[in-house]
Amino acid sequence: MSDVAEQTAQRRAKVAALRAGGANPYPARFHRTHTAADAIAAFEADPDATIPVIVAGRLVAKRVMGKATFAHLQDWSGRIQLFARRDALGPAYDAFLDFDLGDIVGVEGTLMRTRTGEITVDLAKAALLAKSLHPLPDKWHGLTDVEKRYRQRYLDLITNEDTRRIVRLRSRVVAAIRRFLDSRGFVEVETPVLQLVPGGAAARSFKTYYDALDAEVHLRISLELYLKRLLVGGMDKVYELGRVFRNEGVSHKHNPEFTLLETYEAYADYLDVLTMVEELLATVVQEVHGSLQIDLGEHTIDFTPPWRRETLRDAIYRRSGIDFVDYPDAESLRAVLRERGLHVDPSLGRGKLIDELLTTFVEPTLIQPTFLLDYPIELSPLAKKKEDDPTLVERFEGFVGGVEIANAFSELNDPDDQRARFEAQLAERAAGDEETEGLDEDFLLALEHGMPPAGGLGIGIDRLVALLAGAHSLREVILFPQLRSVR
């Protein structure tokens, strides 16, 4: 029997003994008065007072010294030391000694400071609240097996302070975004996850079957088309923070299921949205970090507005020597990419090939906050054409740390133009490109009723949190990332 299996067997035996003696190793309730952090703060505020506390959490360390034992209890707020004495607890002292690391316990006592200066609960009572049947990972320094950290995130949260830090940071980022948008008059809404026609992005969808409708439906790949319907309905400023699903591969910056923020503002254009993005991210960074500068590896990123601006055409030409305007069709552009040694899928259209140039030559160089503006129409079937150049659309993407974190358009509201763009996308799909827009007749009908000119925005929350947390992979900031099954 392995050491872990033996420990598990011993813990199960303890559970059986407790039940045989009439004790419940999993009681229904326990009322605490303080978290660990609250208890420490209360003592620091008045160290001369006698402060009774009732705290609860996981037992993460224990040091037995005969008739006295020191231990550490951990809850979500942090850790606090416990001091158990036989003369204070009486027969309950032996029960305390029988607690295992990983057990959830509740204790009652008064606060004191030890000779080493650590704020401690001097125990008067202790109770088992939930017996842990498995030992905590070896070496109380956190999990080192990355795969196990992701598959058993609960163990990662117990043992890894940095994981707990990222979870807290993510919550603060989302709350700051909501406060910013709410203060500007945006209304938060929810739109369907299951859709008959997935739209708003160039991506493959996940499919499922809806028994009641006797129809195949798709998990949404974007929030866009339903939020635009709300603009048609008269809402001026709307946003949604929602999960979207794209049937694609997994990488350090892609997960098939992720959280997306989308906003739509009537009577605004992409330059208005650009200014809002600068202000939004500066506000979030300031609230979360207390500064507009963050360290990212060897770089110090400065979010102070205004950000650098560059057209997509200039950005690609300066870094690759290729001016995509000189190659008006996919065949000629594909040929020059191959001359540069790039392997490109022969099914990709001109827009996707331009995106390959962006990804390969430009994106890794955009460390400081930068906006790239004015994209080819082939890449943006939902964006409004530039009036002075109908081959381009009013679109920008925002990049920080070599990663795209924001995407925005002046939204296309001409229903006839939109239909023609959808049909062009269907032609590309017929030619072999699966990652194209579908044709959503209901959305087109909504546009035919009149949608005001508007600016729309998408921000990937997972990428933003990874950037602000200094994480190198989205798996660090998604609590339960998609992983291959273990067979």
Side-chain angles (χ1 to χ4, degrees):
M1 181 182 294
S2 71
D3 182 56
V4 170
E6 184 176 350
Q7 289 187 60
T8 299
Q10 291 172 354
R11 290 172 183 235
R12 286 192 175 276
K14 289 181 180 181
V15 168
L18 287 168
R19 285 175 169 154
N24 182 2
Y26 302 98
R29 61 189 53 81
F30 182 83
H31 300 291
R32 64 181 180 179
T33 60
H34 295 72
T35 66
D38 289 340
I40 291 170
F43 186 88
E44 289 176 335
D46 192 357
D48 296 322
T50 299
I51 303 173
V53 296
I54 303 173
V55 294
R58 192 176 297 274
L59 199 66
V60 294
K62 187 169 66 171
R63 188 171 76 255
V64 180
M65 302 160 57
K67 296 181 179 181
T69 296
F70 284 98
H72 276 95
L73 177 147
Q74 176 178 291
D75 63 16
W76 185 246
S77 72
R79 289 191 192 185
I80 191 166
Q81 182 166 264
L82 311 179
F83 181 48
R85 293 175 290 123
R86 185 178 292 279
D87 58 359
L89 291 176
Y93 182 71
D94 290 326
F96 184 82
L97 292 182
D98 214 27
F99 293 164
D100 292 303
L101 298 188
D103 288 353
I104 307 294
V105 301
V107 301
E108 183 176 343
T110 55
L111 295 174
M112 56 175 272
R113 192 187 294 274
T114 65
R115 279 178 286 183
T116 60
E118 186 167 355
I119 296 170
T120 302
V121 182
D122 187 7
L123 300 190
K125 295 180 181 179
L128 177 66
L129 305 181
K131 186 68 183 174
S132 173
L133 298 179
H134 298 276
L136 293 173
D138 288 338
K139 309 284 186 189
W140 182 247
H141 297 301
L143 292 174
T144 56
D145 183 335
V146 173
E147 188 80 3
K148 190 170 185 178
R149 287 182 53 226
Y150 300 149
R151 290 189 186 278
Q152 295 179 274
R153 184 66 88 180
Y154 47 89
L155 290 179
D156 190 27
L157 287 166
I158 293 170
T159 61
N160 193 335
E161 172 55 35
D162 195 52
T163 300
R164 297 193 291 274
R165 175 188 68 85
I166 290 173
V167 172
R168 295 186 191 100
L169 182 143
R170 183 181 181 119
S171 178
R172 293 171 61 201
V173 167
V174 171
I177 288 172
R178 282 195 165 103
R179 281 193 297 272
F180 179 93
L181 293 172
D182 292 347
S183 72
R184 287 180 167 238
F186 282 83
V187 176
E188 184 174 8
V189 298
E190 294 177 319
T191 60
V193 172
L194 296 176
Q195 301 179 355
L196 291 173
V197 181
R204 286 192 298 270
S205 67
F206 289 97
K207 301 174 185 178
T208 188
Y209 194 78
Y210 199 147
D211 289 335
L213 297 181
D214 189 24
E216 182 181 79
V217 293
H218 305 256
L219 298 182
R220 65 186 177 188
I221 58 175
S222 171
L223 314 174
E224 181 165 349
L225 301 189
Y226 279 91
L227 291 175
K228 286 182 178 179
R229 286 169 167 88
L230 299 180
L231 295 186
V232 173
M235 299 183 74
D236 285 344
K237 297 180 179 182
V238 295
Y239 76 94
E240 183 172 4
L241 277 157
R243 300 292 272 186
V244 297
F245 311 86
R246 297 183 184 177
N247 200 347
E248 61 188 12
V250 177
S251 74
H252 70 282
K253 59 181 181 179
H254 292 92
N255 193 69
E257 177 183 356
F258 61 98
T259 302
L260 186 61
L261 164 71
E262 290 198 24
T263 75
Y264 293 87
E265 180 177 359
Y267 313 110
D269 65 13
Y270 77 137
L271 297 180
D272 297 317
V273 177
L274 182 148
T275 300
M276 184 182 77
V277 170
E278 289 177 323
E279 295 173 1
L280 167 63
L281 293 184
T283 299
V284 170
V285 172
Q286 181 67 46
E287 285 195 28
V288 170
H289 282 284
S291 168
L292 290 176
Q293 290 80 41
I294 67 169
D295 291 329
L296 186 67
E298 61 186 18
H299 303 283
T300 297
I301 309 296
D302 189 349
F303 284 86
T304 304
W307 295 9
R308 191 163 65 86
R309 293 155 169 74
E310 194 173 3
T311 67
L312 178 66
R313 178 184 178 184
D314 287 346
I316 290 175
Y317 179 71
R318 288 173 184 168
R319 293 163 179 83
S320 72
I322 297 173
D323 186 347
F324 60 72
V325 173
D326 294 339
Y327 306 94
D329 54 60
E331 185 177 350
S332 60
L333 186 54
R334 189 178 297 113
V336 74
L337 264 62
R338 285 175 175 160
E339 288 174 9
R340 297 300 182 89
L342 294 181
H343 172 72
V344 290
D345 186 332
S347 70
L348 296 184
R350 181 172 180 269
K352 294 286 182 66
L353 295 173
I354 293 171
D355 194 47
E356 286 287 324
L357 288 170
L358 166 60
T359 301
T360 302
F361 293 104
V362 181
E363 189 169 317
T365 72
L366 303 178
I367 304 303
Q368 293 300 325
T370 302
F371 291 118
L372 297 185
L373 297 94
D374 304 338
Y375 279 55
I377 191 170
E378 298 95 332
L379 267 177
S380 310
L382 294 160
K384 189 175 284 292
K385 295 175 185 175
K386 289 183 68 66
E387 293 183 357
D388 59 348
D389 186 350
T391 69
L392 301 176
V393 296
E394 295 188 353
R395 174 186 176 185
F396 74 79
E397 289 185 305
F399 296 83
V400 183
V403 175
E404 178 231 325
I405 60 169
N407 182 28
F409 312 148
S410 293
E411 299 297 336
L412 179 57
N413 61 345
D414 179 339
D416 295 330
D417 189 359
Q418 183 65 83
R419 180 178 292 277
R421 305 262 198 103
F422 279 157
E423 290 172 347
Q425 290 281 295
L426 291 179
E428 288 195 22
R429 179 174 296 183
D433 186 355
E434 295 182 28
E435 295 186 353
T436 56
E437 288 277 352
L439 196 155
D440 188 334
E441 288 287 359
D442 183 72
F443 173 66
L444 290 171
L445 178 61
L447 280 189
E448 289 174 358
H449 284 81
M451 187 184 88
L457 165 69
I459 291 179
I461 297 299
D462 308 298
R463 288 188 182 181
L464 177 60
V465 173
L467 174 74
L468 298 183
H472 300 293
S473 170
L474 291 188
R475 292 183 176 188
E476 295 293 335
V477 303
I478 297 173
L479 279 173
F480 301 101
Q482 192 64 41
L483 301 169
R484 292 187 184 277
S485 342
V486 176
R487 296 179 185 268

